[in-house]
Amino acid sequence: MQLGFTFSFLLATVLLALSPNVEAAPVKRAGIVTLPLKRIHQARNDVHPFMLLQQHINRGLKRYARMTGREAPSDLELRAHIHKRMYIPATGPGSRKPAVDKRFNRSGGGKGKNRNKNAAAGTGATNGTASNGGAGFSEVDLEAALKGTLAPAGNPTADNSLGLDIEANDVGYIATVQMGTPPRDFKLLMDSGSADLWVGGENCQSEDGGDCGNHVFLGSGSSSSFVDTKQQFQVTYGSGAVAGDIITDDINVAGLDLKAHKFGVATQETVDFSSNQTPFDGLMGLAQSTLSQQQTLTPVEALSKNGLIQDAITSYKISRLADGKNDGEITFGGLDQTKFDANTLVTFDNVNKQGFWEGAMTVSVNGQDLGLKGRTAILDTGTTLVIAPAADATAVHQAIPGAKSDGQGGFTIPCTTTASVALTFGGQTFDINPQDLLFVPVDQNDLQGDCVSGISSGNIGGDAEWLVGDVFLKNAYFSTDVTKNQISLAKLV
């Protein structure tokens, strides 16, 4: 199946595109605690790749506005971005193309079309000649994206660690936490870009009518330790929103008991959360509690305050499906020394005053510094893409051979690119694996043609701040320390 859809089909996908997917620690005791993470995904073979890109850009723009205290773009503006994406050219990225034979034989030999045929006519200028050194978009990732498959985790590599299941092609991260009395398992999205913990309540209602889907819910009917404080909360994310009651109940994070912890149960959810296709029951925000809409401690801060872990530290190893390692994890109270090269570990100050995790950085492509001075990046596990100011995103892609602008904030790059985009924090340079730059193929039938770039531009209100999501974070060990207000990064092993 290919992604060169007709205009009428694109029109039919607008309603889907206007509702993007939700993509996506600490205590005083010796040792650290690690939770398993699960990838989240909803198959997107029903949405054109450039509309899918705009969904993720829109979500990032809303998150970024919230992070920086700016006014978020209106729904009308976001819809306008989607509508612009409907006008797909007759040729070039996103155009309708004739059917082709099966891409690969069973041994993996290529049978795809020549990449240069796809790149013949783009909507923007082409930068140079593309490299042919890359293998193209991973067929494993494409199959996982279309089927939403779940790859089981391998064995943990450290004490107090749990494995990570990978959902689809590296989209979102979920840990299992026990809540209530008797304790039951709840799947929670792990999000370093927010600071509220919530799960669906037993009386939860969806915005489109009916209940909140096939999820696990918490309330007095299922937990004898559940207490409603009669206070209310509301949280709006880049995609989706919830509202409900602040309660206290017992939770268990990787064997650590927090008695009467204060958090939220949602009585209302938008379809982004209430859909049966959403594979998590709630969300755990792991920014600093100064951001909390509930005005409560995050679980990691509560664990630290109660002496259950050494420090209020949360650490992330975000793995990718294509590697076949299935070794992702989230660690509370310290760093898992088996996951990174200690000689590359750098620690730097968090420059964000609101409670997000933001550090100073520089940018290079193929070893050449782009000369972007005074830049900072918010590191957010809840964002898939890297979103940069327009001039910066253009500068990056001008340095990537074969890159093209779509004229609307997005870019395409050759699926075979070997370009090395790198971000430097604290004097340490971290290369982004070229395969992580490939968001989706423009044409599913040509995995060596053009791919939508995982680095996009957005009108975010500032010319020096970036929003850096999983495209980058899969390439570094990422750790945050609430007490010291510091961020650490290291190269993975």
Side-chain angles (χ1 to χ4, degrees), residues 433-476:
N433 189 315
Q435 68 181 313
D436 295 327
L437 297 174
L438 310 179
F439 178 53
V440 288
V442 171
D443 181 355
Q444 290 181 13
N445 291 309
D446 187 5
L447 302 189
Q448 293 183 322
D450 283 327
C451 280
V452 177
S453 175
I455 300 177
S456 294
S457 65
N459 183 20
I460 52 182
D463 59 2
E465 293 173 295
W466 290 40
L467 178 60
V468 173
D470 301 330
V471 165
F472 169 77
L473 291 173
K474 282 185 283 187
N475 296 274

Side-chain angles (χ1 to χ4, degrees), residues 180-322:
T181 306
R184 293 180 300 146
D185 287 347
F186 286 79
K187 296 179 180 180
L188 303 181
L189 182 77
M190 299 288 107
D191 182 15
S192 69
S194 66
D196 289 290
L197 168 64
W198 62 267
V199 296
E202 291 174 346
N203 59 342
C204 183
Q205 296 292 307
S206 175
E207 68 170 352
D208 66 347
D211 60 24
C212 291
N214 185 26
H215 298 114
V216 181
F217 301 101
L218 186 65
S220 58
S222 59
S223 174
S224 60
S225 50
F226 180 96
V227 177
D228 191 339
T229 69
K230 307 302 182 182
Q231 297 174 305
Q232 296 181 330
F233 80 99
Q234 180 175 349
V235 183
T236 299
Y237 299 94
S239 53
V242 296
D245 301 322
I246 297 175
I247 62 96
T248 64
D249 207 342
D250 299 342
I251 69 173
N252 184 288
V253 181
L256 302 176
D257 288 322
L258 279 176
K259 299 295 185 182
H261 183 64
K262 184 179 289 188
F263 59 102
V265 294
T267 57
Q268 300 176 28
E269 295 179 1
T270 60
V271 293
D272 308 272
F273 296 114
S274 63
S275 170
N276 284 333
Q277 302 302 314
T278 301
F280 55 86
D281 307 309
L283 186 146
M284 181 184 289
L286 292 165
Q288 299 183 37
S289 59
T290 50
L291 288 172
S292 172
Q293 301 299 306
Q294 301 166 358
Q295 299 182 354
T296 60
L297 294 178
T298 64
V300 66
E301 293 169 352
L303 288 170
S304 180
K305 181 179 179 180
N306 284 275
L308 299 175
I309 55 177
Q310 291 178 342
D311 292 292
I313 294 172
T314 309
S315 302
Y316 306 84
K317 163 59 170 76
I318 296 178
S319 60
R320 63 176 67 86
L321 178 69

